[in-house]
Amino acid sequence: MPGALIFQERALAGGQLEEPLADAVRTALSSAIANDAPPLPVFASTDARLRYLRWLSGMSDRLYSRKKDFNARIEFLQTVWYESQRAGLETSLVLGLIQVESAFRKYAVSSVGARGYMQVMPFWSRVIGDGDAGKLFHMQTNLRFGCVILRHYLERERGDLFMALGRYNGSRGRPQYPNAVFGAQKRWVLSA
């Protein structure tokens, strides 16, 4: 709407630090964020499908206070599930990270310029994407970038999730952020 003021919500998240990447790492990360839409999940068994549907229902109930629209909530959860599985991350961890980083706000912007649900720094769109930082407000793009970046940091830290989370937040070695994510993660674990 012409002349309208646009207010972006500020997030309290920190920011990843831009670090030099080897060409092989940059190429691998670039291919990992290729923009294929999440496919409909296919399950090896009826039991696996039922577990997924129970998870989806349980998480939908928990997320209701943050996302009232049913279709938007389900699409968000399906995408988080897909992107976390694709990156080899626990879905509850990714949801905990999103809770801490942006409080589930799609258009959150931190004081250092990190954007979207997973508070991805704009330099990542230049380093491994097409350079369009505006795409970081697109749900799937943001979730894919965030999961790929967290997986990258986890590999750099040789599986040390505490250090990887600190690197993700730009607070490597300090306990506040990883502890906040681990605490938030508990909310997103589905009891058996």
Side-chain angles (χ1 to χ4, degrees):
M1 176 156 81
L5 294 176
I6 298 176
F7 295 97
Q8 294 177 329
E9 296 180 62
R10 288 270 176 217
L12 300 176
Q16 300 108 11
L17 303 175
E18 186 169 2
E19 301 172 23
L21 297 175
D23 288 340
V25 172
R26 184 179 295 105
T27 300
L29 290 172
S30 293
S31 68
I33 55 104
N35 284 329
D36 295 332
L40 293 174
V42 176
F43 301 96
S45 68
T46 301
D47 187 51
R49 178 171 172 71
L50 289 174
R51 276 195 311 274
Y52 169 75
L53 291 174
R54 279 192 296 275
W55 173 85
L56 188 61
S57 176
M59 295 305 109
S60 177
D61 291 346
R62 293 175 195 185
L63 192 57
Y64 177 78
S65 66
R66 304 280 183 159
K67 291 188 167 297
K68 301 285 188 202
D69 180 79
F70 176 79
N71 290 328
R73 191 169 62 249
I74 294 301
E75 180 184 14
F76 173 79
L77 287 168
Q78 289 174 327
T79 305
V80 168
W81 182 86
Y82 174 76
E83 295 300 340
S84 62
Q85 298 296 309
R86 184 176 183 267
L89 300 169
E90 291 182 39
T91 307
S92 61
L93 175 72
V94 173
L95 286 166
L97 185 144
I98 293 168
Q99 179 179 323
V100 170
E101 287 283 343
S102 68
F104 297 97
R105 296 181 323 223
K106 180 178 183 174
Y107 296 106
V109 178
S110 76
S111 61
V112 295
R115 298 175 180 192
Y117 289 116
M118 292 189 76
Q119 291 293 278
V120 177
M121 291 294 289
F123 74 79
W124 282 109
S125 62
R126 176 181 42 77
V127 173
I128 63 172
D130 64 6
D132 183 358
K135 289 181 181 175
L136 295 176
F137 290 120
H138 178 265
M139 176 185 61
Q140 182 191 346
T141 301
N142 187 276
L143 296 173
R144 178 155 303 171
F145 267 75
C147 288
V148 165
I149 292 163
L150 182 56
R151 167 51 55 194
H152 166 67
Y153 287 149
L154 192 55
E155 289 171 6
R156 279 201 70 192
E157 296 293 345
R158 295 185 169 104
D160 186 329
L161 188 53
F162 179 89
M163 296 301 278
L165 286 169
R167 189 178 287 273
Y168 187 93
N169 179 255
S171 61
R172 186 174 182 267
R174 293 184 296 229
Q176 294 85 351
Y177 179 78
N179 289 342
V181 172
F182 293 142
Q185 177 183 11
K186 292 175 185 174
R187 173 175 169 74
W188 306 103
V189 173
L190 188 63
S191 304

